[in-house]
Amino acid sequence: MPTNSTTKKDYWIIGFLLFLSFVPSIAGLVRIFQLTTGSGYTVENQRFFNDPIPVILHIIAVLLYSILGSFQFAPGFRSRHLRWHRISGRFLVVFGLLSAGSGLWLTWEYPRVPTDGNWLFGIRMVVGVWMFACILLGFSFALGKQFRTHSHWMIRGYAIGLGAGTQVFTHLPWFIIVGGEPSGIPRDLMMAAGWLINFVFAEWIIWKEKLFRN
């Protein structure tokens, strides 16, 4: 029987991950609405209207990956619903790989927008490849029944997948102090900071878990 503290911990973890997913999910749904209705057309988002299918697939995959994944990392919930964890985990792998793969395709194929600096293309490619590799490694370790290592790599992949949520906060100081949409190197650095924060946080969680088990 799970303790109250474990249940509360589950609520905090799930709630925090859903909170990080909220703003990108809303933005993604708005983008899908615009693309399907033809509204909100601008020069900046012209590339989405010219070829909408890849970005719609990317948004749906990211939305499902982030929301479904939030329930995978709550230890009490996971232990009480192992069958659900295993079945939904297979879908999570598909959504995660589709998120990373479509993100790489969008970065490679879509024309660069004027607000992007010279670094952002390379950063996005590195992040996309890293996320794809983390999920593949996590899945392979699960097949090999190395569940502890599987968990570590899935944490890494999911953390990168939630980068857009953290980027809301890395951009916030600019919006408050400077105002307007950042561009060039400042935008590149703020985007990179979101992924870096999540990467460091994931490694800290993994290190803490290893320390506790040892």
Side-chain angles (χ1 to χ4, degrees):
M1 180 69 67
T3 63
N4 289 334
S5 60
T6 301
T7 303
K8 289 178 181 178
K9 182 180 179 182
D10 290 342
Y11 288 142
W12 277 106
I13 292 172
I14 295 170
F16 175 72
L17 296 177
L18 287 175
F19 173 74
L20 272 185
S21 306
F22 179 73
V23 173
S25 297
I26 295 300
L29 291 173
V30 170
R31 178 74 71 194
I32 290 176
F33 175 80
Q34 291 175 336
L35 293 173
T36 53
T37 60
S39 60
Y41 178 90
T42 65
V43 175
E44 286 75 17
N45 63 25
Q46 177 183 355
R47 63 197 189 282
F48 300 138
F49 285 90
N50 290 343
D51 192 8
I53 299 301
V55 72
I56 291 175
L57 288 175
H58 179 70
I59 291 169
I60 293 173
V62 170
L63 192 151
L64 293 172
Y65 181 67
S66 58
I67 293 176
L68 187 63
S70 65
F71 296 89
Q72 297 290 94
F73 301 103
F77 182 89
R78 183 173 63 244
S79 63
R80 293 193 299 274
H81 304 282
L82 277 177
R83 179 174 172 79
W84 183 91
H85 173 78
R86 290 165 183 159
I87 294 173
S88 64
R90 291 177 172 85
F91 286 99
L92 197 65
V93 168
V94 174
F95 295 140
L97 292 177
L98 184 57
S99 299
S102 60
L104 287 168
W105 192 94
L106 294 175
T107 301
W108 187 265
E109 291 292 333
Y110 275 17
R112 196 182 82 175
V113 296
T115 54
D116 288 356
N118 295 327
W119 298 350
L120 194 52
F121 175 86
I123 292 170
R124 281 176 169 151
M125 294 300 292
V126 170
V127 166
V129 170
W130 174 250
M131 179 179 171
F132 201 93
C134 287
I135 296 170
L136 279 183
L137 285 168
F139 183 61
S140 66
F141 281 116
L143 292 178
K145 301 189 183 302
Q146 300 180 51
F147 297 117
R148 185 179 175 186
T149 309
H150 153 76
S151 174
H152 294 166
W153 284 104
M154 286 304 189
I155 288 171
R156 292 182 174 110
Y158 186 73
I160 294 301
L162 282 187
T166 308
Q167 284 160 359
V168 173
F169 297 98
T170 59
H171 281 68
L172 197 58
W174 179 278
F175 294 141
I176 294 173
I177 299 170
V178 180
E181 186 75 18
S183 62
I185 298 303
R187 170 172 161 78
D188 295 0
L189 293 176
M190 283 181 271
M191 294 288 286
W195 286 307
L196 180 62
I197 289 169
N198 284 16
F199 171 80
V200 172
F201 187 67
E203 294 304 320
W204 176 77
I205 290 174
I206 293 167
W207 173 82
K208 187 178 178 182
E209 191 269 345
K210 288 180 179 178
L211 189 68
F212 176 77
R213 285 184 176 269
N214 292 335

